[in-house]
Amino acid sequence: MKSKELKDKIEKKEGGYVFYGLTPPKTSTDKDKIQGIAQRQMDRLQGLDIDGLVLYDIQDESSRNNNPRPFPFMSTWAPDAYANTYLQDLDVPKIIYKSVGKFTEESLKTWLIDNEKSIDLTVFVGAPSKEQQVNLSLQDAYRIKKESATTIKMGGVTIPERHFVKGDEHIRLTNKIANGCSFFISQCVYNLDNAKDMLSDYYFYTQEKGIKPMPIIFTLTPIGSLKTLEFTKWLGIDIQRWLENELKVSPDILNASIGICKYIANDLIGFAKEKNMPIGFNIESVAIRKAEIDASIELVKTIKDMMK
C-alpha cells in the first residue's frame, strides 16, 4: 500500500489494516552493522503485504514501575532518523512514533517542518508517568501540531488496560480526535476482555453521539521466552493469571503465544464486524531472536488472511 492510499483509507475511516512494528537499533550499535540490520529487515518485509511499518520511539518507562526492569534500558536510534537514513528503499508507508516530552515548543515546530516530505504518519506519545519530567506535554504537542500547516497525519495511543482501571478510554479517544488524531494504535493486547470492553464502550458512545468511529489498530506481540513474558508484564500489559500459567508450562511458549494472538485477532475481527467498527492489527516484533522474528512474519500472513 502506498502512503496516499493509506492516508485516504484512514481519512475515510475504513478498517482492515495490517501493520508491522519494529524498534530501531540501539544507539550503541556500530554504524557499519546498522546497514546490515536495516537490509535484513527490508528483505523480510519486502514481499510482505503490509499496509504500514510502525517504528517506535523508545523511552525509559522506569518512572511508572518501581520493580526492577527485566531488561536494562538502552536508548535506540530516533525512528524518523533511522527510517530516513536506512529504510528509504522500503516502499511502505512509515508510521513514526514520537515521544514529545523530549521536545521544546520550537524544536517540535522545526521537526514538523523538516519532516513534512519524509514522514506521512506520526503517533505522538506522552510521558510514561506523571512523575517523569518533560519539556512538553502531550496536550501542548497536539496544539503545536494543530497550529502548524503540516500534512503529516497524526494518530494516538490507546490502552485497553487503562480502560479496565478508569473506564474512560472512549472519552480519551474522543478528546484526542478533537486534538487532531485520526487513528489509534493500542498497547499490546493479551487480555481480550479489556480490548472488547473498550471497543464496545467506544462503539456505543459513537452511536449515541451520531459520529463515525475512527480506526483502531490492535497490537499483537509474540512472546518467545519467560524473560519476555516478565518484561511484557513489567510494561503494564495485562496477562490474566490462567494465561500466564499456560504460557509458563508450555513446552513451546512462542507457539502457544502465537496461538493466543490468532485467537484474539479472530475474536476481535468478528466482534468489530458485527458493529461495523474499523479495526486493524499491528504485529510487533521487538525481539532479536530469529525464531521470534520468523514467527511474527508468519503471524502477519495469518492475520492478513483472517482480515480478508
Side-chain angles (χ1 to χ4, degrees):
M1 183 177 277
K2 298 289 182 282
S3 299
K4 187 176 183 320
E5 286 175 64
L6 178 57
K7 287 167 104 169
D8 288 348
K9 195 173 177 179
I10 288 170
E11 198 71 51
K12 290 173 187 164
K13 304 179 179 63
E14 293 175 9
Y17 311 86
V18 177
F19 293 161
Y20 192 78
L22 282 178
T23 301
K26 296 176 181 63
T27 47
S28 57
T29 309
D30 290 345
K31 281 248 172 100
D32 52 347
K33 285 185 181 169
I34 294 179
Q35 190 66 61
I37 292 168
Q39 193 56 56
R40 285 193 294 278
Q41 288 173 340
M42 287 192 289
D43 291 345
R44 273 187 218 112
L45 299 175
Q46 209 70 257
L48 212 55
D49 187 14
I50 54 172
D51 302 307
L53 175 66
V54 175
L55 287 160
Y56 297 111
D57 193 6
I58 301 300
Q59 49 183 335
D60 189 356
E61 307 215 347
S62 302
S63 62
R64 75 170 185 184
N65 193 332
N66 295 326
N67 297 320
R69 201 179 195 276
F71 295 105
F73 172 74
M74 299 176 96
S75 64
T76 57
W77 268 68
D80 43 314
Y82 181 59
N84 295 341
T85 312
Y86 294 102
L87 301 178
Q88 286 170 313
D89 293 343
L90 185 66
D91 191 18
V92 169
K94 319 286 191 311
I95 298 117
I96 303 294
Y97 269 54
K98 217 57 198 157
S99 302
V100 297
K102 304 171 185 175
F103 288 102
T104 61
E105 183 145 347
E106 283 311 308
S107 65
L108 180 57
K109 283 177 183 172
T110 305
W111 183 83
L112 287 165
I113 293 163
D114 290 351
N115 287 282
E116 174 66 32
K117 288 188 169 63
S118 58
I119 292 176
D120 302 295
L121 301 104
T122 188
V123 173
F124 281 0
V125 183
S129 76
K130 287 175 183 170
E131 281 66 53
Q132 189 154 319
Q133 293 293 306
V134 293
N135 295 321
L136 204 67
S137 71
L138 188 56
Q139 207 57 41
D140 285 335
Y142 284 153
R143 173 182 54 77
I144 293 161
K145 165 77 171 68
K146 222 172 185 178
E147 289 168 359
S148 76
T150 181
T151 58
I152 299 172
K153 195 166 274 301
M154 183 173 66
V157 172
T158 182
I159 303 175
E161 280 82 356
R162 186 165 59 196
H163 189 65
F164 173 73
V165 175
K166 299 187 173 177
D168 66 350
E169 195 67 11
H170 53 300
I171 309 292
R172 286 172 186 263
L173 295 184
T174 312
N175 291 340
K176 287 182 178 183
I177 291 162
N179 279 306
C181 290
S182 52
F183 66 97
F184 295 94
I185 299 180
S186 83
Q187 182 172 276
C188 166
V189 172
Y190 263 96
N191 187 320
L192 180 58
D193 288 341
N194 286 351
K196 283 168 81 170
D197 284 351
M198 186 195 83
L199 203 55
S200 173
D201 285 346
Y202 182 49
Y203 168 74
F204 286 108
Y205 184 79
T206 57
Q207 288 288 295
E208 184 193 318
K209 300 288 179 190
I211 51 178
K212 210 173 170 188
M214 296 288 186
I216 295 179
I217 290 100
F218 290 100
T219 297
L220 301 172
T221 311
I223 290 175
S225 68
L226 291 174
K227 191 89 168 170
T228 306
L229 174 63
E230 195 188 329
F231 184 53
T232 305
K233 287 179 63 195
W234 185 87
L235 287 169
I237 291 149
D238 184 23
I239 300 178
Q240 291 140 297
R241 181 75 60 81
W242 69 268
L243 193 48
E244 187 183 345
N245 290 342
E246 293 294 322
L247 289 170
K248 279 180 174 173
V249 300
S250 172
D252 186 347
I253 187 170
L254 179 57
N255 201 36
S257 90
I258 289 286
I260 293 157
C261 288
K262 288 177 186 174
Y263 178 83
I264 289 169
N266 193 48
D267 200 306
L268 284 172
I269 289 166
F271 189 71
K273 199 173 180 182
E274 278 173 26
K275 294 174 165 43
N276 200 23
M277 294 282 282
I279 68 160
F281 294 94
N282 170 39
I283 314 305
E284 206 174 55
S285 173
V286 291
I288 52 170
R289 284 175 61 228
K290 187 177 184 301
E292 288 182 60
I293 294 166
D294 290 347
S296 69
I297 296 290
E298 286 308 309
L299 185 57
V300 168
K301 294 173 184 171
T302 306
I303 301 286
K304 196 80 189 174
D305 288 341
M306 281 184 185
M307 295 297 270
K308 286 172 186 167

